[in-house]
Amino acid sequence: MSCKNTIMRLSEYRRILCKLKALGFTRVFSDHLAGALDISPALVRKDFSDFGLTGNRKSGYTVDELIEKMNMILRKDKVEPVIVVGCGGIGRALMEYNAFAGEGIRIVAGFDSRPELHDLKGTIPVHDISRLEVYIKGHNIKTAILAVPESSAGDMADFLISRGVTGILNVAPIPLKGYDNCVIRNINFLHELENTIYFASMLDSKQK
Amino acid sequence: MSCKNTIMRLSEYRRILCKLKALGFTRVFSDHLAGALDISPALVRKDFSDFGLTGNRKSGYTVDELIEKMNMILRKDKVEPVIVVGCGGIGRALMEYNAFAGEGIRIVAGFDSRPELHDLKGTIPVHDISRLEVYIKGHNIKTAILAVPESSAGDMADFLISRGVTGILNVAPIPLKGYDNCVIRNINFLHELENTIYFASMLDSKQK
DNA sequence: TAAATATCGATAAATTAATATTCATAATTG
DNA sequence: CAATTATGAATATTAATTTATCGATATTTA
Ligand SMILES: NC(=O)c1ccc[n+]([C@@H]2O[C@H](COP(=O)([O-])OP(=O)(O)OC[C@H]3O[C@@H](n4cnc5c(N)ncnc54)[C@H](O)[C@@H]3O)[C@@H](O)[C@H]2O)c1
Ligand SMILES: NC(=O)c1ccc[n+]([C@@H]2O[C@H](COP(=O)([O-])OP(=O)(O)OC[C@H]3O[C@@H](n4cnc5c(N)ncnc54)[C@H](O)[C@@H]3O)[C@@H](O)[C@H]2O)c1
């Protein structure tokens, strides 16, 4: 039915729709959204139809309605509490990234093994890693960003899963596998860069 | 012939192969690599064959040979200089991320408009944004990480491209489009998180 | 040395994803 | 009010990616 990529695009549609709404637009056409995402209008319509997002012939889709329904699909009706495990360079950047807040995602706490990073008074407290288990249970945490060194990533993921976490965004450079009780999404900056460099060098050789 | 995803997997294969080599392995089978990446052995063999990476029936592939050839494909024969534009939270984390260094990627400089971030004495200097053009030309920079606020991202990308940059890794939450003279890869943490949360909630409803 | 076996390599099949086409219809226009 | 037009919805087509199949052949073993 709907492919994996559709969900990622739904996030992208939604972001653009919010901007259009802020600009005062009330209606939008598949062709416009397609242009913004660099895809075909047919794909926009197909994505929408897969999720029962309907429009009107001749007058397109209603911005408000799309946003509202997408919020439901993407579980934006409630704020999702997220923890950050590993508060070093990238973990800290993500904790301090305030764009999540306006988008229904709230980073509620960080956890680290290094005592000098602990800070229970800050806007977002950083606890000792030993408090992780109690915290997850006490706050019913389902989602975690994993930003520990590669050597700990696998064990930490297992721990999180065993304690009830069902979604992990992993930035450690090791491809962790999801299971039937947890989704894991891996982001590897090194590979993203390598990929960029590869395709850039392909451009070069093509243009010659 | 070879699909886009193949290149991304090549990076993943390579990373695993380097670890195997460090552990003393000299040979590897498609089945092993497939397990590590959670794909089928057939895909491993197909990926390899697309790039002329051959093995021996019965005795698999030679680790050294694979690494060497992958290094060629991924342009690892020389160190790629990369600049970071926007040295705030995430830009700084990426600059200080030392895992790039050992992988043929060297972050050579940062650029920011905020004077308090300028630092010409550090391991990786941070210049004023006004020096960007001269630096790119002087050092023949082809690759940039773009970590400025969304409002500047489009203009900054255009500027980089006009000055000869051919590969951009963009972390600002706006999908920038590549052109025929530059590859742009967008990473959007918010969307990655939304995606994770969505599929996690799907797991829940499936298991009930 | 012959038989058994594991694995690659090539190709075919299946699956997934994206695009094109066609048709129905709401809005617009004359 | 009929004709025109732009658009969504549904379906068909094409493309892309992944997986499965199967023959060939190194390696191992008896
Ligand atoms: N910094 C980046 O820009 C960047 C980019 C891509 C990937 N990464 C990856 O992200 C991860 C974190 O990178 P970083 O640069 O922030 O490293 P870092 O060393 O600055 O931070 C890692 C943090 O994890 C903590 N930690 C280690 N083991 C732990 C454990 N078992 N439990 C809890 N906390 C633990 C450490 O105390 C440290 O504060 C690494 O896997 C790295 O490879 C980082
Ligand atoms: N911090 C994160 O974890 C995170 C995560 C995902 C995405 N992002 C995105 O990455 C980008 C940077 O985020 P951040 O948290 O580091 O923000 P930040 O405000 O800390 O850093 C942005 C930096 O860019 C500089 N800057 C602004 N305009 C500039 C220009 N025209 N030329 C040069 N420098 C300029 C600012 O001085 C600042 O230092 C943003 O687009 C943000 O949405 C950040």
Side-chain angles (χ1 to χ4, degrees), chain A residues 2-5 7-16 19 34-38 51 73-76 80 82 89-90 93-94 96-97 99-100 103-105 107 142-145 150 166-169 171 173-175 177-205 207, chain B residues 2-5 7-16 19 34-38 51 73-76 80 82 89-90 93-94 96-97 99-100 103-105 107 142-145 150 166-169 171 173-175 177-205 207:
Chain A
S2 75
C3 73
K4 252 184 99 182
N5 303 352
I7 301 301
M8 202 63 174
R9 283 194 296 266
L10 230 50
S11 279
E12 297 182 5
Y13 296 134
R14 185 179 164 282
R15 172 160 256 272
I16 291 166
K19 284 183 197 162
L37 268 72
D38 214 12
F51 284 101
I73 296 164
L74 296 172
R75 311 296 188 283
K76 295 271 163 202
E80 178 76 24
V82 175
I90 187 118
L94 288 166
E96 289 171 359
Y97 184 45
F100 289 142
E103 299 288 345
I105 287 172
I107 298 189
K142 294 289 168 196
T143 311
I145 295 172
E150 182 182 1
T166 56
I168 296 175
L169 185 59
V171 299
I174 177 173
K177 290 178 215 169
Y179 298 93
D180 52 3
N181 57 348
C182 184
V183 172
I184 300 186
R185 217 176 153 82
N186 301 290
I187 295 184
N188 189 316
F189 269 91
L190 173 61
H191 295 171
E192 298 285 346
L193 259 183
E194 282 179 352
N195 206 279
T196 305
I197 293 167
Y198 174 85
F199 284 109
S201 75
M202 283 292 109
L203 280 188
D204 280 0
S205 49
Q207 290 195 325
Chain B
S2 75
C3 72
K4 251 185 98 181
N5 303 351
I7 301 300
M8 202 65 176
R9 282 194 298 267
L10 228 50
S11 279
E12 296 182 6
Y13 296 135
R14 186 180 164 280
R15 172 159 256 273
I16 291 165
K19 284 184 199 160
L37 267 73
D38 214 12
F51 283 100
I73 297 165
L74 296 172
R75 311 294 189 283
K76 295 270 163 204
E80 178 77 23
V82 176
I90 187 117
L94 288 165
E96 289 171 359
Y97 184 45
F100 289 142
E103 298 289 344
I105 287 172
I107 298 190
K142 293 290 169 196
T143 311
I145 295 173
E150 182 181 3
T166 56
I168 296 175
L169 185 59
V171 299
I174 177 172
K177 291 178 212 170
Y179 299 94
D180 50 4
N181 58 347
C182 184
V183 172
I184 300 185
R185 219 177 150 82
N186 301 290
I187 296 183
N188 189 316
F189 268 93
L190 173 61
H191 295 173
E192 298 285 346
L193 259 182
E194 282 179 352
N195 206 277
T196 305
I197 292 167
Y198 174 86
F199 284 109
S201 75
M202 284 292 108
L203 279 187
D204 280 0
S205 48
Q207 289 193 327

Side-chain angles (χ1 to χ4, degrees), chain B residues 17-29:
Chain B
L17 288 165
C18 289
K19 284 184 199 160
L20 288 178
K21 183 185 165 82
L23 291 171
F25 286 87
T26 57
R27 309 191 149 275
V28 69
F29 302 109

Side-chain angles (χ1 to χ4, degrees), chain A residues 90 93-97 99-100, chain B residues 85-91 111-114 117 129 146-150 152 156 171-173 187 189-190:
Chain A
I90 187 118
L94 288 166
M95 283 179 73
E96 289 171 359
Y97 184 45
F100 289 142
Chain B
V85 180
C87 306
I90 187 117
F111 295 87
D112 204 290
S113 52
R114 273 157 59 194
L117 295 181
I129 191 71
L146 188 53
V148 297
E150 182 181 3
S152 323
M156 192 51 74
V171 299
I187 296 183
F189 268 93
L190 173 61

